[in-house]
Each structure stands twice: as C-alpha cells, then as structure tokens.
C-alpha cells in the first residue's frame, strides 16, 4: 500500500475544494444560470442554510475523495493529471448526467453539464497532480 503524504494530501484536497467552488460558480452560477430558471429547480433566492451546508459538504467530500483516489492511482507519468481528470469525468460527470437525464426533465442542459464537466475535471486533475506528491 502506498504511503500517504498527509500534508500534501490535505493541501491538494483544499486546492481541489476551492477550485470546485470557483468552477461550479462559473459553470452553474454564470454560464448555465439561465437554464436553471426552469421551475424544475429550487429558486436561488429561496435557499436556506440547509442548501448551502449541503453544497459545502458536497465540495469537501468530493475534494477529499478526488484526492484520495488520485493517491492510489498515482504513477508519476506525464500528463497524469489530464488522464486522471478524464477518467473522473467519465465516472463522475458522464454517468451522473445520464442518470439525471433519465429521471428528470433536464433537456439540453445535460449536454452542457457533460461539456463543462469535461473541462472542470481536467482542471481539477491538473491541480491535484501539481500539488500532490507521494512520499
């Protein structure tokens, strides 16, 4: 089993968590904002602490999991972050988007989720590869 570099793990997780907030804000708060005016979604002006707490918890769990999985798959190869970002895009973005498309009337926003998610995961993969180094 690979030895965990705890300080780098925590730093990489923090970087990924902050990047998730920034990228999600850009993607969903700015780029796709008009798509979410559909009555399917909760209006942003009605959000309460529970929704914000859920968003923070989700970003923290995602960042820790994203970095933890990277630790076990790290091979030190060139473009490791891009490769990892691509695999995580397939696993976390494409599959979840297909599920949402199947059960909710999300329409064309699903295509935008897949496209923007691709770039988001590549950026996150590059960040975690740049910050995290095993012992």
């Amino acid at each position: 089993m690979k030895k965990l570099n705890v300080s780098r793990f925590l730093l990489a997780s923090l970087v990924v968590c902050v990047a998730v907030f920034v990228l999600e804000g850009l993607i969903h708060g700015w780029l796709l904002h008009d798509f979410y005016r559909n009555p399917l979604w909760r209006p942003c002006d009605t959000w309460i602490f529970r929704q914000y707490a859920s968003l923070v918890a989700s970003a923290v769990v995602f960042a820790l999991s994203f970095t933890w999985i990277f630790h076990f798959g790290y091979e030190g190869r060139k473009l490791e972050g891009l490769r990892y970002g691509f695999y995580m895009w397939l696993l976390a973005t494409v599959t979840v988007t297909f599920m949402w498309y199947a059960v909710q009337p999300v329409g064309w926003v699903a295509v935008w989720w897949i496209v923007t998610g691709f770039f988001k995961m590549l950026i996150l993969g590059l960040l975690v590869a740049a910050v995290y180094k095993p012992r």
Side-chain angles (χ1 to χ4, degrees), residues 46-101:
T46 65
W47 282 20
I48 56 173
F49 176 76
R50 181 183 62 220
Q51 280 86 6
Y52 289 110
S54 295
L55 291 173
V56 169
S58 133
V60 169
V61 169
F62 175 84
L64 291 169
S65 302
F66 190 83
T67 307
W68 184 257
I69 294 167
F70 181 82
H71 163 74
F72 286 105
Y74 183 82
E75 297 174 0
R77 298 178 359 190
K78 289 183 180 179
L79 304 176
E80 181 115 29
L82 290 176
R83 180 176 63 92
Y84 179 67
F86 176 77
Y87 292 150
M88 292 304 287
W89 170 72
L90 287 174
L91 178 66
T93 303
V94 175
T95 57
V96 170
T97 300
F98 283 152
M99 184 275 308
W100 273 106
Y101 186 80

